Amino acid sequence: MAYKRQFYPGATTPAVNRRRYMDPKVNLKKLRDVSMDDVVRIMGHRNPGEDYKTIHAPLDENPYETLCPIRALVKPIEGAKSGDRIRYIQFTDSVYFAPISPYQRAWMYLSRYRGIDTGTLSGRQIIEVRERDLEVLAKEMIDNETFDPALTGIRGATVHGHACRLDENGLMFDGWQRYVWDDSKKEVVYVKDQVALPLDRKISVGKPASMSDLQKRTTIFRADGVDMRDDKEVSMYGLRIHKLRTLGGYQPFKVKGV
Amino acid sequence: MAQKEKLFMEACKKKFKEDPTDMSTKYYCYGGWKQSKSKVEFQKSAEAIAKERGFPMMNEDIGVPLGQRSWMPYQLSHTDIFAEADDLHCVNNPAMQQAWDDIRRTVLVGLNSPHETIEKRLGKEVTPETINNYLEIVNHTMPGGAVVQEHMAEVNPALVYDSYVKVFTGDDELADELDSRFLIDINKLFPKDQAEQLKKAVGKNLMQAVRVPTIVGRLMDGGTVSRHAAMQISMAFISAYKLAAGEAAIADFAYSAKHLSINMGTMMPARRARGPNEPGGIPFGFLADMTQSDRVYPDDPGRAALEAVALGAAVYDQIYLGGYMSGGVGFTQYATAAYTDNILEDYVYYAIDRIKDKYGGFCKLDPNNMDELMKLGDDVNTYALSMYEKYPAIMETHFGGSQRSTVAAAATGIAGAMATGIADCGVNSWYLSMLQHKERTGRLGFYGFDLQDQCGSANSFAYRSDEGLPMELRGPNYPNYAMNVGHMSGYTGIPKAAHVARGDAYTANPFIRVAFADPSLIFDFANITKEFGRGALREFKPAGERTAVIKG
């Protein structure tokens, strides 16, 4: 029987969401439509309409291409074919029931996309990829259910804030105030790009979700939401990994029935 | 049953005006860096320096706007001292520097071997009287006094008042006959049961605790400490026993002082390029022995572990990893989480209560019972992580995931160590905490955590070289710990916790334990957070200053 990917254990809401976000067969819900030009503006790597900068010639113009056995095995992504720079988008996810958190981002990206490089920290998650592919990915990630305007931040530098309390409008703290609350529209608008350079115009990313909605979408176990210990399978899985690693490094002969 | 007041409440209430359980606050309205006294002082000072030197210096208006949040003070744990984070930076805090200076400038040199040389090779008598005479002479030479040549330049005593040599022994009869001014008296300094253990371990050895001047350690390095000691000890022997300065036997004194001595830190590999007595070479068990809380507060094992954590944070995380290895502005904010605001305190005392409730006391959990060890770890770790979730004020206080990961894992590790009395069970519990933390929250610390904390379970009990070591003998130089910023504090607390729980008088080395009980040290190793606090309040007077030779 062919192995069927299970993605993640558990039956609770965060566990189910982890599985959904990781499974590439699941189409993530699109909650907003930020235009591609605005996504490009927020990322700040190039101006909308500007050519992509390249770091090497297109692969089909490379005379040595046919000599490379790896090239024969791996189909290049579009940006690699064209010689694009590798650029990034970095999301900061609040601890207060943000839809997704850094490790799940890494697992989701690696499960859904090719040609990417991720880096995971406590508050933020960077994903680096060829520029034209990045833009497609970034738009999906800003538009879909893993993004919340109040609790997800798009931040290149000065990223902390994920563990700070929320402001009076429910927004995650940002030392650069790249986004602000538009009280007239009850929406979050970006006024600065990823590295805090002012934008020419405000870009709306929409209305924040309600806390009850976020609790249904989140991947985070919390004492005031779903505690990890309430999910027996997730708890058991963590303990099992620790025990097997411990025994494997110390008394491997005691590992039985794996 | 009424819920106990959380130990971090006082700090939370001082930091934030909102209730510690409130998830909301206001930002961007506090006046930026001007709300911080120290930043205002820094700006004024930098402006004056810029004017004096004719080009710009530090400027608080450069870079990210500081002070967008309410500026938090930090409470030094188990004290009533509150300080600004700037004053806990190791460059700004003379007490932290002196803690490290006092460690670096210490070398322990046995007297048994040179006494045998004097008696057996040279045929001269060694008696308590000759030893006392030697001690008076070596307390002249060690700071930089001359005894052999007639026309020598000497060191100004006002610069090196902190330098001296004292001795200790496990032999009460010998101790009684020595000049008490030069004696580190085990019987007087330690509780009776600890004194008995230490005397048994030290035995009839007569050990010198040599304190090279602080200024020497700063001007040269830790590697010079045993050389300085060896030179001055040899001179003292020549003078005390009327020996010939050129006779071959003198080499034995220098040899024993250099090579039969106990350095505080071991040599490091060439790629890290540090001599002995530099912080990267100090095993966790040695630093735990330097921590003296359980000597002065023997009924509070939690405090002992927490004080070891604090010393580890300053010496390993702030000075070594933040300074020696990284450089730059350093890791103050990261490291202070482990010894401020009584947050780790709250978790550790919770763990102690749980251990007493579940097992009837310390060291009663069978270390072979891994399932039960994991249950305890799960309990303590869940408590720690849930506190962050229930009290947003402490979540914001530890606003970096690396801070929370270290603190939760330290509490869990200390719990495992105290419950079993085995430090390796403690470090195993540390790694359980890390794995569970990542699964629960979907986040942990900085990139580096992906290596050390996710493979650590596998090496926690391994003793094979390059794979593992008993926790007491691991240190920043242990292969997998070279980049474990923030972890070193907790790692130091774990072996300390195991051995205080057992009622041991020392963790790894009884000689080091006794040497740091010495009341003549400048830094008080029994009150570490208090000393750091005094440094932050600018009340601590360090040694090694040069003002005695500067006019004005």
Side-chain angles (χ1 to χ4, degrees):
Chain A
M1 191 177 77
Y3 172 72
K4 190 179 171 204
R5 290 176 73 185
Q6 298 174 54
F7 298 105
Y8 201 80
T12 51
T13 302
V16 170
N17 285 336
R18 289 178 186 203
R19 272 201 296 278
R20 287 184 56 245
Y21 295 160
M22 286 172 73
D23 184 351
K25 289 181 183 156
V26 171
N27 289 319
L28 297 175
K29 286 178 207 154
K30 185 169 173 173
L31 301 182
R32 62 195 68 81
D33 188 7
V34 179
S35 74
M36 182 57 98
D37 281 354
D38 283 346
V39 169
V40 168
R41 285 188 183 98
I42 290 173
M43 287 200 292
H45 302 309
R46 68 179 184 106
N47 293 314
E50 185 184 348
D51 284 347
Y52 292 104
K53 293 185 174 70
T54 57
I55 51 170
H56 59 74
L59 294 182
D60 58 11
E61 293 175 19
N62 183 344
Y64 303 106
E65 197 56 30
T66 53
L67 302 177
C68 175
I70 301 302
R71 300 269 191 248
L73 288 170
V74 180
K75 187 182 168 193
I77 58 175
E78 290 304 313
K81 269 191 216 167
S82 307
D84 290 0
R85 295 181 297 176
I86 292 171
R87 298 280 67 205
Y88 66 88
I89 188 165
Q90 182 162 258
F91 293 102
T92 298
D93 300 294
S94 170
V95 298
Y96 294 109
F97 297 105
I100 195 164
S101 55
Y103 272 108
Q104 277 84 50
R105 278 192 183 277
W107 300 341
M108 173 181 71
Y109 294 147
L110 291 163
S111 185
R112 288 175 176 266
Y113 297 99
R114 295 173 60 239
I116 59 163
D117 183 15
T118 73
T120 307
L121 294 94
S122 60
R124 60 186 162 125
Q125 223 284 342
I126 190 167
I127 177 160
E128 296 182 75
V129 62
R130 301 283 188 157
E131 194 163 357
R132 75 191 61 203
D133 303 286
L134 169 71
E135 290 171 0
V136 175
L137 180 154
K139 178 166 167 48
E140 284 178 17
M141 288 302 135
I142 293 170
D143 285 350
N144 75 28
E145 60 186 301
T146 64
F147 185 92
D148 179 71
L151 300 180
T152 311
I154 305 168
R155 304 177 182 184
T158 311
V159 294
H160 66 273
H162 76 273
C164 293
R165 292 164 297 166
L166 306 178
D167 75 10
E168 61 269 44
N169 298 308
L171 269 59
M172 176 170 57
F173 172 76
D174 178 7
W176 280 114
Q177 282 190 276
R178 277 160 274 222
Y179 48 82
V180 294
W181 178 246
D182 182 336
D183 200 46
S184 61
K185 294 181 182 168
K186 307 293 180 201
E187 288 179 352
V188 176
V189 292
Y190 272 75
V191 294
K192 295 175 188 168
D193 73 7
Q194 256 191 136
V195 290
L197 294 172
L199 294 166
D200 292 339
R201 61 178 177 78
K202 293 175 181 174
I203 297 172
S204 173
V205 288
K207 297 184 194 308
S210 67
M211 198 44 87
S212 61
D213 183 29
L214 287 165
Q215 292 204 6
K216 287 178 198 153
R217 283 159 55 191
T218 193
T219 60
I220 302 171
F221 290 103
R222 283 180 59 96
D224 50 355
V226 177
D227 195 293
M228 189 173 82
R229 292 210 288 188
D230 293 337
D231 194 315
K232 299 295 173 209
E233 194 178 29
V234 173
S235 296
M236 180 277 289
Y237 149 91
L239 293 169
R240 182 170 182 271
I241 286 175
H242 173 69
K243 188 173 183 179
L244 289 176
R245 284 184 188 173
T246 299
L247 291 175
Y250 176 51
Q251 294 177 321
F253 51 84
K254 283 199 175 169
V255 178
K256 305 261 196 272
V258 176
Chain B
M1 195 173 79
Q3 201 180 2
K4 270 190 185 174
E5 170 90 344
K6 302 296 177 191
L7 297 178
F8 46 73
M9 279 302 181
E10 186 190 353
C12 285
K13 287 172 184 169
K14 186 103 173 178
K15 281 169 182 289
F16 306 116
K17 67 178 191 316
E18 297 87 357
D19 187 88
T21 58
D22 277 358
M23 203 196 282
S24 305
T25 185
K26 281 189 163 54
Y27 294 121
Y28 322 115
C29 57
Y30 297 103
W33 56 263
K34 287 179 184 159
Q35 57 180 308
S36 156
K37 264 189 193 170
S38 73
K39 302 289 184 206
V40 170
E41 181 194 340
F42 289 2
Q43 183 68 13
K44 198 173 161 194
S45 175
E47 282 170 6
I49 293 164
K51 194 173 172 189
E52 170 83 17
R53 73 185 193 183
F55 55 95
M57 211 239 175
M58 282 169 66
N59 179 353
E60 299 292 359
D61 288 321
I62 287 178
V64 67
L66 295 173
Q68 299 300 294
R69 295 190 264 157
S70 167
W71 203 256
M72 310 184 269
Y74 291 83
Q75 183 177 19
L76 277 297
S77 290
H78 52 262
T79 78
D80 55 6
I81 301 172
F82 280 83
E84 288 216 35
D86 289 325
D87 292 317
L88 296 174
H89 192 296
C90 61
V91 173
N92 298 334
N93 191 305
M96 281 177 200
Q97 292 165 23
Q98 192 64 51
W100 165 226
D101 287 328
D102 280 354
I103 295 167
R104 180 182 54 209
R105 69 197 187 92
T106 296
V107 62
L108 307 183
V109 183
L111 278 170
N112 292 25
S113 171
H115 286 168
E116 282 188 22
T117 300
I118 292 165
E119 290 190 317
K120 292 181 181 167
R121 184 163 170 180
L122 303 177
K124 293 190 175 223
E125 195 181 16
V126 176
T127 66
E129 288 72 28
T130 66
I131 295 171
N132 288 334
N133 180 44
Y134 162 82
L135 286 170
E136 191 151 350
I137 294 168
V138 80
N139 273 286
H140 165 71
T141 60
M142 198 55 67
V147 284
V148 176
Q149 285 197 33
E150 161 277 332
H151 198 80
M152 284 289 281
E154 294 181 306
V155 175
N156 184 332
L159 294 172
V160 292
Y161 66 88
D162 58 324
S163 178
Y164 61 89
V165 178
K166 288 190 180 180
V167 288
F168 58 91
T169 178
D171 181 342
D172 280 344
E173 278 182 34
L174 175 58
D176 282 346
E177 293 186 85
L178 296 175
D179 185 336
S180 60
R181 295 174 301 169
F182 302 126
L183 183 70
I184 300 174
D185 191 332
I186 296 174
N187 291 320
K188 282 189 182 159
L189 290 167
F190 287 89
K192 193 162 182 255
D193 59 328
Q194 292 184 26
E196 291 308 317
Q197 289 182 50
L198 288 164
K199 284 191 294 182
K200 192 174 170 195
V202 171
K204 291 192 177 297
N205 287 300
L206 182 59
M207 181 64 81
Q208 300 175 93
V210 178
R211 316 293 185 187
V212 162
T214 292
I215 201 167
V216 167
R218 289 194 187 167
L219 185 58
M220 289 74 174
D221 67 354
T224 210
V225 168
S226 65
R227 296 186 183 95
H228 180 109
M231 176 61 80
Q232 302 310 87
I233 284 169
S234 300
M235 293 299 161
F237 275 123
I238 290 167
S239 179
Y241 291 92
K242 303 298 175 200
L243 307 176
E247 69 177 307
I250 301 301
D252 282 15
F253 302 133
Y255 182 86
S256 64
K258 284 182 186 172
H259 303 290
L260 297 177
S261 56
I262 300 172
N263 279 288
M264 301 304 98
T266 55
M267 282 281 284
M268 300 190 71
R271 65 186 178 278
R272 293 190 194 117
R274 311 288 176 195
N277 264 28
E278 289 294 336
I282 307 172
F284 299 133
F286 282 18
L287 209 68
D289 279 324
M290 292 165 198
T291 308
Q292 298 285 321
S293 182
D294 46 322
R295 174 173 63 80
V296 180
Y297 308 94
D299 298 327
D300 193 347
R303 188 183 190 279
L306 290 158
E307 285 269 292
V309 167
L311 188 60
V315 173
Y316 291 137
D317 290 323
Q318 293 183 235
I319 296 174
Y320 177 62
L321 289 172
Y324 279 71
M325 296 297 275
S326 166
V329 74
F331 304 145
T332 309
Q333 207 87 42
Y334 189 161
T336 53
Y339 62 83
T340 54
D341 299 326
N342 287 318
I343 295 172
L344 180 58
E345 258 70 359
D346 185 80
Y347 303 169
V348 165
Y349 286 105
Y350 169 85
I352 289 172
D353 287 347
R354 293 297 288 154
I355 290 166
K356 288 179 179 170
D357 287 349
K358 279 170 79 100
Y359 311 115
F362 295 139
C363 309
K364 297 198 170 166
L365 170 57
D366 178 0
N368 293 309
N369 188 345
M370 186 158 180
D371 289 334
E372 193 58 35
L373 182 63
M374 288 198 301
K375 262 191 206 166
L376 175 68
D378 183 32
D379 178 342
V380 174
N381 192 41
T382 301
Y383 173 80
L385 297 178
S386 65
M387 287 301 102
Y388 288 120
E389 292 153 3
K390 290 177 181 169
Y391 295 92
I394 62 166
M395 178 71 95
E396 185 165 318
T397 299
H398 289 178
F399 61 91
S402 300
Q403 298 172 315
R404 299 190 298 275
S405 305
T406 292
V407 168
T412 313
I414 286 168
M418 284 184 161
T420 58
I422 307 289
D424 294 336
C425 290
V427 74
N428 184 261
S429 301
W430 168 289
Y431 291 117
L432 172 67
S433 165
M434 289 291 184
L435 293 179
Q436 287 190 320
H437 192 151
K438 188 191 79 171
E439 287 310 316
R440 180 184 180 99
T441 65
R443 63 182 89 228
L444 199 59
F446 74 113
Y447 285 110
F449 281 57
D450 280 2
L451 166 64
Q452 66 253 12
D453 289 310
Q454 295 181 44
C455 70
S457 311
N459 66 42
S460 50
F461 289 109
Y463 275 31
R464 284 181 298 194
S465 171
D466 264 13
E467 285 181 17
L469 269 178
M471 193 56 185
E472 290 86 344
L473 299 182
R474 294 185 187 192
N477 197 25
Y478 172 78
N480 205 27
Y481 291 175
M483 60 178 172
N484 284 18
V485 185
H487 293 52
M488 301 294 152
S489 52
Y491 288 160
T492 310
I494 288 171
K496 185 72 176 182
H499 290 277
V500 289
R502 296 167 73 99
D504 292 344
Y506 59 95
T507 302
N509 190 307
F511 295 96
I512 290 174
R513 178 80 173 134
V514 175
F516 281 81
D518 179 9
S520 298
L521 282 165
I522 307 291
F523 185 86
D524 177 3
F525 286 84
N527 293 290
I528 289 161
T529 56
K530 185 179 172 189
E531 291 287 75
F532 293 167
R534 291 206 308 129
L537 297 175
R538 305 177 189 191
E539 292 171 358
F540 184 89
K541 190 179 169 218
E545 300 304 294
R546 296 176 293 184
T547 44
V549 290
I550 301 170
K551 273 189 182 173

